[in-house]
Coordinates of all heavy atoms in Angstrom, one line a residue:
K10 N 8.6 23.4 -12.7 CA 10.0 23.1 -12.3 C 10.0 22.7 -10.8 O 9.4 23.4 -10.0 CB 10.8 24.3 -12.6 CG 12.2 24.3 -12.0 CD 13.0 25.5 -12.4 CE 14.0 25.9 -11.4 NZ 14.8 27.1 -11.8
V11 N 10.6 21.5 -10.5 CA 10.7 21.1 -9.2 C 11.9 21.8 -8.5 O 13.0 21.8 -9.0 CB 10.9 19.6 -9.1 CG1 11.1 19.1 -7.7 CG2 9.7 18.8 -9.7
T12 N 11.7 22.5 -7.3 CA 12.7 23.2 -6.6 C 13.1 22.4 -5.4 O 14.1 22.7 -4.8 CB 12.3 24.6 -6.3 OG1 11.2 24.5 -5.5 CG2 12.0 25.4 -7.6
G13 N 12.3 21.5 -4.9 CA 12.6 20.8 -3.7 C 11.7 19.6 -3.5 O 10.5 19.7 -3.9
I14 N 12.1 18.7 -2.7 CA 11.2 17.5 -2.3 C 11.3 17.4 -0.8 O 12.4 17.4 -0.2 CB 11.8 16.3 -3.0 CG1 11.7 16.4 -4.5 CG2 10.9 15.1 -2.5 CD1 12.4 15.3 -5.2
E15 N 10.1 17.3 -0.2 CA 10.1 17.2 1.3 C 9.5 15.8 1.5 O 8.5 15.4 1.1 CB 9.1 18.2 1.9 CG 9.7 19.6 1.7 CD 8.7 20.7 2.3 OE1 7.8 20.4 3.1 OE2 9.0 21.9 2.0
A16 N 10.3 15.0 2.3 CA 9.9 13.6 2.6 C 8.8 13.7 3.7 O 8.7 14.6 4.4 CB 11.1 12.9 3.2
P17 N 8.1 12.6 3.8 CA 6.9 12.5 4.7 C 7.4 12.2 6.2 O 8.6 11.8 6.4 CB 6.1 11.3 4.3 CG 7.1 10.5 3.5 CD 8.1 11.4 2.9
S18 N 6.6 12.4 7.1 CA 6.9 12.0 8.5 C 7.5 10.6 8.6 O 7.0 9.7 7.9 CB 5.6 12.2 9.4 OG 5.2 13.5 9.4
G19 N 8.5 10.5 9.5 CA 9.1 9.2 9.7 C 10.2 8.8 8.7 O 10.9 7.8 9.0
A20 N 10.4 9.6 7.7 CA 11.4 9.3 6.7 C 12.9 9.6 7.3 O 13.1 10.5 8.0 CB 11.2 10.2 5.5
V21 N 13.8 8.7 6.8 CA 15.2 8.9 7.2 C 16.0 8.8 5.9 O 15.5 8.3 4.8 CB 15.7 7.9 8.2 CG1 15.0 8.0 9.5 CG2 15.5 6.5 7.6
T22 N 17.2 9.2 5.9 CA 18.1 9.2 4.8 C 18.9 7.8 4.7 O 18.7 7.0 5.6 CB 19.2 10.3 4.8 OG1 20.1 10.0 5.9 CG2 18.6 11.7 5.0
D23 N 19.5 7.6 3.6 CA 20.4 6.4 3.6 C 21.4 6.3 4.6 O 22.0 5.3 4.8 CB 21.0 6.3 2.2 CG 22.0 7.4 1.9 OD1 21.9 8.6 2.5 OD2 22.9 7.2 1.0
R24 N 21.7 7.4 5.3 CA 22.6 7.3 6.4 C 21.9 7.1 7.8 O 22.5 7.2 8.8 CB 23.4 8.7 6.5 CG 24.3 8.8 5.3 CD 25.0 10.2 5.3 NE 25.7 10.3 4.0 CZ 27.0 10.5 4.0 NH1 27.8 10.6 5.0 NH2 27.6 10.6 2.8
G25 N 20.6 6.9 7.7 CA 19.9 6.5 8.9 C 19.4 7.6 9.8 O 19.0 7.4 10.9
V26 N 19.5 8.9 9.3 CA 19.0 10.0 10.1 C 17.9 10.7 9.4 O 17.7 10.6 8.3 CB 20.1 11.0 10.4 CG1 21.2 10.4 11.3 CG2 20.7 11.5 9.1
G27 N 17.0 11.3 10.2 CA 15.9 12.0 9.7 C 14.9 12.3 10.8 O 15.3 12.7 11.9
D28 N 13.7 12.1 10.5 CA 12.6 12.5 11.5 C 12.9 12.0 12.9 O 13.1 10.7 13.1 CB 11.2 11.9 11.0 CG 10.1 12.6 11.6 OD1 10.2 13.7 12.2 OD2 8.9 12.1 11.4
K29 N 12.9 12.8 13.9 CA 13.1 12.5 15.3 C 14.6 12.3 15.7 O 15.0 12.0 16.8 CB 12.4 11.3 15.8 CG 10.8 11.4 15.5 CD 10.2 12.6 16.2 CE 8.7 12.5 15.9 NZ 8.2 13.8 15.5
S30 N 15.5 12.4 14.7 CA 17.0 12.4 15.0 C 17.3 13.8 15.6 O 16.6 14.7 15.6 CB 17.8 12.3 13.7 OG 17.6 11.1 13.1
T31 N 18.5 13.8 16.3 CA 19.0 15.0 17.0 C 19.9 15.7 16.0 O 20.4 15.1 15.1 CB 19.7 14.8 18.3 OG1 20.9 14.0 17.9 CG2 18.9 13.9 19.3
T32 N 20.2 17.0 16.2 CA 21.1 17.7 15.4 C 22.5 17.1 15.5 O 23.2 17.1 14.6 CB 21.1 19.3 15.8 OG1 21.4 19.4 17.2 CG2 19.8 19.9 15.5
A33 N 22.8 16.6 16.7 CA 24.1 15.9 16.8 C 24.2 14.6 16.0 O 25.2 14.4 15.4 CB 24.4 15.5 18.2
D34 N 23.1 13.9 15.9 CA 23.0 12.7 15.0 C 23.3 13.2 13.5 O 24.0 12.5 12.8 CB 21.6 12.1 15.0 CG 21.3 11.4 16.4 OD1 22.2 11.1 17.1 OD2 20.1 11.3 16.6
I35 N 22.6 14.3 13.1 CA 22.8 14.8 11.7 C 24.3 15.2 11.5 O 24.8 14.8 10.4 CB 21.9 16.0 11.5 CG1 20.4 15.6 11.7 CG2 22.1 16.6 10.1 CD1 19.8 14.6 10.9
R36 N 24.8 15.9 12.4 CA 26.3 16.3 12.2 C 27.2 15.1 12.1 O 28.1 15.1 11.4 CB 26.7 17.2 13.4 CG 26.0 18.6 13.3 CD 26.5 19.5 14.4 NE 26.0 20.9 14.3 CZ 26.4 21.8 13.4 NH1 27.3 21.6 12.6 NH2 25.7 22.9 13.3
A37 N 26.9 14.1 13.0 CA 27.8 12.8 12.9 C 27.6 12.1 11.6 O 28.6 11.7 11.0 CB 27.4 11.9 14.1
A38 N 26.4 12.0 11.1 CA 26.1 11.3 9.9 C 26.7 12.0 8.6 O 27.0 11.3 7.7 CB 24.6 11.0 9.7
Y39 N 26.8 13.3 8.7 CA 27.3 14.0 7.6 C 28.6 14.8 7.9 O 28.9 15.8 7.3 CB 26.2 15.1 7.1 CG 25.1 14.4 6.5 CD1 23.9 14.0 7.2 CD2 25.1 14.0 5.1 CE1 22.9 13.3 6.6 CE2 24.1 13.3 4.5 CZ 23.0 12.9 5.3 OH 22.0 12.3 4.7
A40 N 29.4 14.1 8.8 CA 30.8 14.6 9.0 C 31.6 14.7 7.7 O 31.4 13.8 6.8 CB 31.5 13.7 10.0
G41 N 32.3 15.8 7.5 CA 33.0 15.9 6.3 C 32.3 16.8 5.2 O 32.9 17.3 4.3
F42 N 31.0 17.0 5.5 CA 30.3 18.0 4.6 C 30.3 19.4 5.3 O 30.4 19.4 6.5 CB 28.8 17.5 4.4 CG 28.7 16.4 3.5 CD1 28.8 15.1 3.9 CD2 28.5 16.6 2.1 CE1 28.7 14.0 3.0 CE2 28.4 15.6 1.2 CZ 28.4 14.2 1.7
N43 N 30.0 20.4 4.6 CA 29.8 21.7 5.2 C 28.3 21.8 5.7 O 27.4 21.5 5.0 CB 30.1 22.8 4.1 CG 31.5 22.9 3.8 OD1 32.4 22.8 4.6 ND2 31.7 23.1 2.5
I44 N 28.3 22.2 7.0 CA 26.9 22.2 7.7 C 26.6 23.6 8.2 O 27.5 24.2 8.8 CB 26.8 21.2 8.8 CG1 27.0 19.7 8.2 CG2 25.6 21.2 9.6 CD1 27.2 18.7 9.2
D45 N 25.5 24.1 8.0 CA 25.0 25.3 8.6 C 23.8 25.1 9.4 O 22.9 24.3 9.1 CB 24.7 26.3 7.4 CG 24.6 27.7 7.9 OD1 24.9 28.1 9.0 OD2 23.9 28.5 7.1
E46 N 23.6 25.8 10.5 CA 22.5 25.7 11.3 C 22.0 27.0 11.7 O 22.8 27.9 12.0 CB 22.9 24.9 12.5 CG 21.7 24.5 13.4 CD 22.1 23.6 14.6 OE1 23.1 22.9 14.5 OE2 21.3 23.5 15.6
G47 N 20.7 27.3 11.6 CA 20.1 28.5 11.9 C 18.7 28.8 11.3 O 18.1 27.8 10.8
Y48 N 18.4 30.0 11.1 CA 17.1 30.4 10.6 C 17.1 30.5 9.1 O 18.0 31.3 8.6 CB 16.5 31.6 11.3 CG 16.2 31.4 12.7 CD1 17.1 31.6 13.7 CD2 15.0 30.8 13.0 CE1 16.8 31.3 15.1 CE2 14.6 30.5 14.4 CZ 15.5 30.8 15.4 OH 15.2 30.6 16.6
I49 N 16.2 30.0 8.4 CA 16.2 30.1 6.9 C 14.8 30.3 6.4 O 13.8 30.1 7.1 CB 16.7 28.8 6.3 CG1 16.0 27.5 6.8 CG2 18.2 28.5 6.5 CD1 15.0 27.0 5.8
G50 N 14.8 30.8 5.2 CA 13.5 31.0 4.6 C 12.7 32.2 5.0 O 13.1 32.9 6.0
G51 N 11.7 32.6 4.2 CA 10.8 33.8 4.5 C 10.1 33.7 5.9 O 9.8 34.8 6.5
Q52 N 9.9 32.5 6.3 CA 9.2 32.3 7.6 C 10.1 32.2 8.8 O 9.7 32.1 9.9 CB 8.3 31.1 7.5 CG 7.4 31.0 6.4 CD 6.4 32.2 6.4 OE1 5.8 32.5 7.5 NE2 6.1 32.9 5.3
G53 N 11.4 32.2 8.5 CA 12.4 32.2 9.6 C 12.4 30.8 10.3 O 12.6 30.8 11.5
S54 N 12.2 29.8 9.6 CA 12.2 28.5 10.1 C 13.7 28.0 10.5 O 14.6 28.2 9.8 CB 11.7 27.4 9.1 OG 10.4 27.8 8.8
Q55 N 13.8 27.4 11.7 CA 15.1 26.9 12.1 C 15.4 25.6 11.4 O 14.5 24.7 11.4 CB 15.1 26.7 13.6 CG 16.5 26.6 14.2 CD 16.5 26.7 15.7 OE1 15.5 26.5 16.4 NE2 17.7 26.8 16.3
A56 N 16.6 25.4 10.9 CA 17.0 24.2 10.2 C 18.5 24.0 10.3 O 19.2 24.8 10.7 CB 16.6 24.4 8.7
I57 N 18.9 22.7 10.0 CA 20.3 22.3 9.8 C 20.4 21.8 8.4 O 19.6 21.1 7.9 CB 20.6 21.2 10.9 CG1 22.1 20.9 10.7 CG2 19.8 19.9 10.7 CD1 22.7 20.1 11.9
I58 N 21.4 22.5 7.7 CA 21.5 22.3 6.3 C 22.8 21.7 5.9 O 23.8 22.2 6.4 CB 21.3 23.7 5.6 CG1 20.0 24.3 6.0 CG2 21.3 23.4 4.1 CD1 19.8 25.8 5.7
I59 N 22.9 20.7 5.0 CA 24.1 20.1 4.6 C 24.4 20.5 3.2 O 23.5 20.4 2.3 CB 24.0 18.6 4.7 CG1 24.0 18.1 6.2 CG2 25.2 17.9 4.0 CD1 22.7 18.1 6.8
Y60 N 25.6 21.1 3.0 CA 25.9 21.5 1.7 C 26.9 20.6 1.0 O 27.8 20.1 1.7 CB 26.5 23.0 1.7 CG 25.6 24.0 2.1 CD1 25.3 24.3 3.4 CD2 24.9 24.8 1.1 CE1 24.4 25.3 3.8 CE2 24.0 25.8 1.4 CZ 23.8 26.1 2.7 OH 22.9 27.1 3.1
D61 N 26.9 20.5 -0.3 CA 27.9 19.8 -1.1 C 28.8 20.8 -1.7 O 28.8 21.0 -2.9 CB 27.2 18.9 -2.1 CG 28.2 17.9 -2.7 OD1 29.3 17.7 -2.1 OD2 27.8 17.3 -3.8
G62 N 29.5 21.6 -0.8 CA 30.4 22.6 -1.3 C 30.3 23.7 -0.3 O 29.9 23.6 0.9
A63 N 30.6 24.9 -0.7 CA 30.6 26.1 0.1 C 29.3 26.4 0.7 O 28.2 26.2 0.1 CB 31.1 27.3 -0.7
V64 N 29.3 27.0 1.9 CA 28.0 27.4 2.5 C 27.8 28.9 2.2 O 28.3 29.8 2.7 CB 28.1 27.3 4.1 CG1 26.9 27.8 4.7 CG2 28.3 25.8 4.5
D65 N 27.0 29.1 1.1 CA 26.6 30.4 0.6 C 25.3 30.3 -0.1 O 24.9 29.2 -0.6 CB 27.7 31.1 0.0 CG 28.2 30.5 -1.4 OD1 27.3 30.0 -2.1 OD2 29.3 30.4 -1.6
S66 N 24.8 31.4 -0.4 CA 23.5 31.5 -1.2 C 23.6 31.0 -2.6 O 22.5 30.7 -3.2 CB 22.9 32.9 -1.1 OG 23.7 33.8 -1.7
S67 N 24.8 31.0 -3.2 CA 24.9 30.6 -4.6 C 25.0 29.1 -4.7 O 24.8 28.5 -5.8 CB 26.1 31.2 -5.2 OG 27.3 30.7 -4.7
N68 N 25.3 28.4 -3.6 CA 25.4 26.9 -3.6 C 24.1 26.3 -3.3 O 23.2 26.6 -2.5 CB 26.4 26.5 -2.6 CG 26.7 25.0 -2.7 OD1 26.4 24.3 -3.7 ND2 27.4 24.5 -1.8
K69 N 23.8 25.2 -4.1 CA 22.6 24.4 -3.8 C 22.7 23.6 -2.6 O 23.7 23.0 -2.4 CB 22.2 23.6 -5.0 CG 22.0 24.3 -6.3 CD 20.8 25.2 -6.1 CE 20.6 26.0 -7.5 NZ 20.2 27.4 -7.3
R70 N 21.7 23.5 -1.8 CA 21.7 22.6 -0.6 C 21.6 21.2 -1.0 O 20.9 20.8 -1.9 CB 20.5 22.9 0.3 CG 20.5 24.4 0.8 CD 19.2 24.6 1.5 NE 19.2 26.0 2.0 CZ 18.6 27.0 1.4 NH1 17.9 26.8 0.2 NH2 18.6 28.2 1.9
K71 N 22.4 20.4 -0.3 CA 22.3 18.9 -0.6 C 21.0 18.3 0.1 O 20.2 17.7 -0.6 CB 23.5 18.2 0.0 CG 23.5 16.7 -0.2 CD 24.9 16.2 0.1 CE 24.9 14.6 0.0 NZ 24.8 14.2 -1.4
I72 N 20.9 18.6 1.4 CA 19.8 18.1 2.1 C 19.6 18.9 3.4 O 20.6 19.5 3.8 CB 20.0 16.6 2.5 CG1 18.8 16.0 3.0 CG2 21.1 16.4 3.5 CD1 18.9 14.4 3.0
S73 N 18.4 19.0 3.9 CA 18.2 19.9 5.1 C 17.1 19.2 5.9 O 16.4 18.3 5.5 CB 17.8 21.3 4.7 OG 16.6 21.3 4.0
F74 N 17.1 19.6 7.2 CA 16.1 19.1 8.2 C 15.7 20.3 9.0 O 16.4 21.0 9.5 CB 16.8 18.1 9.1 CG 17.6 17.0 8.4 CD1 18.9 17.1 8.0 CD2 16.9 15.8 8.2 CE1 19.5 16.1 7.3 CE2 17.6 14.7 7.6 CZ 18.9 14.9 7.2
S75 N 14.3 20.4 9.1 CA 13.7 21.4 10.0 C 14.1 21.1 11.4 O 14.1 19.8 11.8 CB 12.3 21.6 9.8 OG 11.6 20.4 10.1
I76 N 14.3 22.0 12.3 CA 14.6 21.7 13.7 C 13.3 21.9 14.5 O 12.8 23.1 14.5 CB 15.8 22.6 14.3 CG1 17.0 22.3 13.5 CG2 15.9 22.3 15.8 CD1 18.2 23.2 13.8
D77 N 12.7 20.9 15.0 CA 11.4 20.9 15.6 C 11.4 21.7 17.0 O 10.5 22.5 17.2 CB 10.8 19.6 15.7 CG 10.6 19.0 14.3 OD1 10.4 19.7 13.4 OD2 10.6 17.7 14.2
D78 N 12.3 21.3 17.9 CA 12.2 21.7 19.3 C 13.5 22.2 19.9 O 13.7 22.2 21.1 CB 11.6 20.6 20.2 CG 12.5 19.4 20.3 OD1 13.6 19.4 19.7 OD2 12.0 18.4 20.8
G79 N 14.4 22.5 19.0 CA 15.7 23.0 19.3 C 16.8 21.9 19.3 O 18.0 22.2 19.3
T80 N 16.4 20.6 19.4 CA 17.3 19.5 19.4 C 17.0 18.4 18.4 O 17.9 17.8 17.8 CB 17.6 18.9 20.7 OG1 16.3 18.4 21.2 CG2 18.2 19.9 21.7
T81 N 15.7 18.2 18.2 CA 15.3 17.1 17.3 C 14.8 17.7 15.9 O 14.4 18.8 15.9 CB 14.2 16.2 17.8 OG1 13.0 17.0 18.1 CG2 14.6 15.4 19.1
V82 N 14.9 16.9 14.9 CA 14.7 17.4 13.5 C 13.4 16.7 12.9 O 13.1 15.5 13.4 CB 15.9 17.2 12.6 CG1 17.1 18.0 13.2 CG2 16.2 15.8 12.3
G83 N 13.0 17.3 11.9 CA 11.9 16.6 11.1 C 12.5 15.8 10.0 O 13.7 15.6 9.9
P84 N 11.6 15.3 9.1 CA 12.1 14.5 7.9 C 12.9 15.3 7.0 O 12.9 16.5 7.0 CB 10.8 14.1 7.3 CG 9.7 15.0 7.7 CD 10.2 15.5 9.1
P85 N 13.8 14.7 6.2 CA 14.7 15.4 5.3 C 13.9 16.1 4.1 O 12.9 15.7 3.7 CB 15.6 14.3 4.7 CG 14.8 13.0 4.9 CD 13.9 13.2 6.1
S86 N 14.5 17.2 3.6 CA 14.1 17.9 2.5 C 15.3 17.9 1.6 O 16.5 18.2 2.0 CB 13.7 19.3 2.8 OG 12.6 19.3 3.7
V87 N 15.1 17.7 0.3 CA 16.1 17.8 -0.7 C 15.9 19.0 -1.6 O 14.8 19.3 -2.0 CB 16.2 16.5 -1.6 CG1 17.3 16.6 -2.6 CG2 16.3 15.3 -0.7
G88 N 17.0 19.8 -1.9 CA 16.9 21.0 -2.7 C 16.6 22.1 -1.8 O 17.4 22.4 -0.9
R89 N 15.4 22.8 -1.9 CA 15.2 23.9 -1.0 C 14.8 23.3 0.4 O 14.4 22.2 0.5 CB 14.0 24.8 -1.5 CG 12.7 24.0 -1.5 CD 11.6 25.0 -2.0 NE 10.4 24.4 -2.2 CZ 9.6 24.0 -1.2 NH1 9.8 24.3 0.0 NH2 8.4 23.4 -1.5
S90 N 15.1 24.1 1.4 CA 14.9 23.7 2.8 C 13.4 23.8 3.1 O 12.7 24.7 2.7 CB 15.6 24.6 3.8 OG 17.0 24.4 3.5
N91 N 12.9 22.8 4.1 CA 11.6 22.9 4.6 C 11.5 24.3 5.2 O 12.3 24.7 6.0 CB 11.5 21.8 5.6 CG 10.1 21.6 6.0 OD1 9.2 22.5 5.8 ND2 9.7 20.5 6.6
G92 N 10.4 25.0 5.0 CA 10.2 26.3 5.6 C 10.5 27.4 4.6 O 10.1 28.5 4.8
N93 N 11.2 27.0 3.5 CA 11.5 28.0 2.5 C 10.5 27.8 1.4 O 10.5 26.8 0.8 CB 13.0 27.8 2.0 CG 13.4 28.9 1.0 OD1 12.6 29.3 0.3 ND2 14.7 29.1 1.0
E94 N 9.7 28.8 1.2 CA 8.6 28.6 0.2 C 9.0 28.6 -1.2 O 8.3 28.3 -2.1 CB 7.6 29.9 0.4 CG 7.0 29.9 1.8 CD 6.3 31.2 2.0 OE1 6.3 32.1 1.2 OE2 5.6 31.3 3.1
G95 N 10.3 28.8 -1.5 CA 10.8 28.8 -2.9 C 10.4 30.0 -3.7 O 10.6 30.0 -4.9
C96 N 10.0 31.1 -3.0 CA 9.6 32.3 -3.7 C 10.9 33.0 -4.2 O 11.9 32.9 -3.5 CB 8.8 33.2 -2.8 SG 7.3 32.5 -2.2
S97 N 10.8 33.7 -5.2 CA 12.0 34.5 -5.7 C 11.7 35.9 -5.6 O 10.6 36.4 -5.5 CB 12.4 34.0 -7.0 OG 11.3 34.1 -8.0

């Protein structure tokens, strides 16, 4: 069962944001969606997560980006967030 897809380095979304974008770029590109930012996954990876609905553990993530250095992000992940091993 596929639980998530992680795009390769350099990848961007159809909204033109992704690898090397800033968190502000992500927020602007996904204005109108619910957005959460913080530590996620068993490894405590920092990420910005866009939800297609409520921000809670029962809702599936639409797309997420790992935060590399506090302001820039890595390539997009769909489904589970990058840094979340998908363990149950």
Side-chain angles (χ1 to χ4, degrees):
K10 167 176 152 177
V11 175
T12 61
I14 299 170
E15 295 179 15
S18 295
V21 297
T22 68
D23 62 334
R24 294 173 185 242
V26 294
D28 201 13
K29 308 296 184 231
S30 295
T31 66
T32 55
D34 294 336
I35 303 298
R36 289 182 178 282
Y39 289 94
F42 286 88
N43 292 318
I44 298 174
D45 190 20
E46 188 172 337
Y48 291 94
I49 53 104
Q52 304 300 315
S54 300
Q55 197 174 15
I57 186 165
I58 306 164
I59 292 83
Y60 291 86
D61 193 13
V64 176
D65 65 38
S66 61
S67 67
N68 187 12
K69 300 297 182 220
R70 299 172 179 99
K71 178 175 180 64
I72 193 166
S73 62
F74 305 84
S75 61
I76 300 174
D77 294 334
D78 63 5
T80 58
T81 59
V82 302
S86 295
V87 179
R89 67 178 173 80
S90 297
N91 190 343
N93 185 327
E94 297 172 352
C96 300
S97 53

